[in-house]
Amino acid sequence: MKLHNEIIVRHQRPRRRGISLIEVIACTALVTIMLVPIAAVIRASRQSISVAQGNASSHAEVRSGLAWLTQSIREGTVHGYDSRYKAMKLELQNGHVVEVTLRNSQLQMIDGALETVVIDNVKDVAFKPISATSGNTIGIGISIDAYDAKTGSVIDVWTMVAQPPQFQTIDSDTSSDSSASGDSGTSGPSRRPRR
């Protein structure tokens, strides 16, 4: 019996600890199969984030230029618009009269020889007077279409600036005629009694 037990013991290999080469190859293949789609998702999200940050920075640049222009309008006096509402004359707080217009894809504030770029890469601009029911201009709507420098897409930004009735229109001088005739008009919006 002893011989038989020795033969059986010799043919049995001792158990090795650890993992085999085949197990390593199979594990590597599974991990690779799982990581390829994850890497694609990470790459796509990184690209989306960079595009979003680029759009946000372009949008922020347009917004900051528009905020500066809005502040200049609030502190100054608008003297009029061109016939297409693409430019306006603005008297600044310091007394300088400037023209705010679109020139060479830039919204510029022109004071004689001095040209200040307010917003760059502008496609279109529109200045729309806002009138009350009495006919007085009480504000201005500004719409700006600008190009995103990175993607080339168009950014549409607009705002409204409310002001006391101080505007004059280029086409009509009715406000000066009514004040000369003694017709004071109404000082505010007309109110109707509730029923």
Side-chain angles (χ1 to χ4, degrees):
M1 197 52 122
K2 190 174 180 183
L3 182 62
H4 180 52
N5 285 340
E6 283 182 26
I7 294 175
I8 292 177
V9 171
R10 259 192 234 163
H11 289 300
Q12 286 181 343
R13 293 186 179 173
R15 280 286 221 187
R16 284 190 255 160
R17 296 185 181 206
I19 55 175
S20 69
L21 182 60
I22 292 176
E23 291 172 332
V24 170
I25 292 172
C27 182
T28 304
L30 287 174
V31 169
T32 304
I33 290 171
M34 291 183 338
L35 284 181
V36 168
I38 292 172
V41 168
I42 290 172
R43 187 178 331 116
S45 63
R46 186 180 304 143
Q47 288 173 346
S48 296
I49 289 170
S50 68
V51 167
Q53 286 175 341
N55 287 345
S57 66
S58 295
H59 200 81
E61 288 175 14
V62 173
R63 277 274 176 213
S64 68
L66 189 58
W68 186 74
L69 179 62
T70 300
Q71 187 65 30
S72 298
I73 292 171
R74 283 190 181 128
E75 292 173 352
T77 304
V78 175
H79 287 286
Y81 311 93
D82 71 347
S83 61
R84 299 177 303 134
Y85 296 104
K86 300 291 182 186
M88 75 172 165
K89 293 275 186 193
L90 174 65
E91 182 178 347
L92 299 176
Q93 190 176 18
N94 62 9
H96 292 272
V97 177
V98 297
E99 180 182 4
V100 181
T101 187
L102 179 63
R103 183 187 289 175
N104 300 327
S105 296
Q106 296 174 330
L107 185 63
Q108 296 182 354
M109 191 177 281
I110 303 168
D111 179 14
L114 181 64
E115 297 177 355
T116 304
V117 176
V118 179
I119 303 172
D120 204 9
N121 297 323
V122 177
K123 177 184 176 187
D124 192 25
V125 65
F127 302 101
K128 305 275 183 176
I130 301 169
S131 299
T133 55
S134 63
N136 292 338
T137 304
I138 58 170
I140 180 173
I142 305 170
S143 173
I144 297 173
D145 293 334
Y147 292 110
D148 183 358
K150 291 183 180 178
T151 64
S153 62
V154 177
I155 302 167
D156 181 29
V157 179
W158 61 273
T159 190
M160 292 186 284
V161 183
Q163 281 194 317
Q166 62 177 345
F167 295 98
Q168 300 172 357
T169 57
I170 294 174
D171 298 324
S172 65
D173 292 330
T174 57
S175 61
S176 61
D177 293 341
S178 65
S179 62
S181 64
D183 182 19
S184 62
T186 59
S187 61
S190 61
R191 296 185 184 182
R192 294 183 183 169
R194 292 185 182 178
R195 293 182 187 195

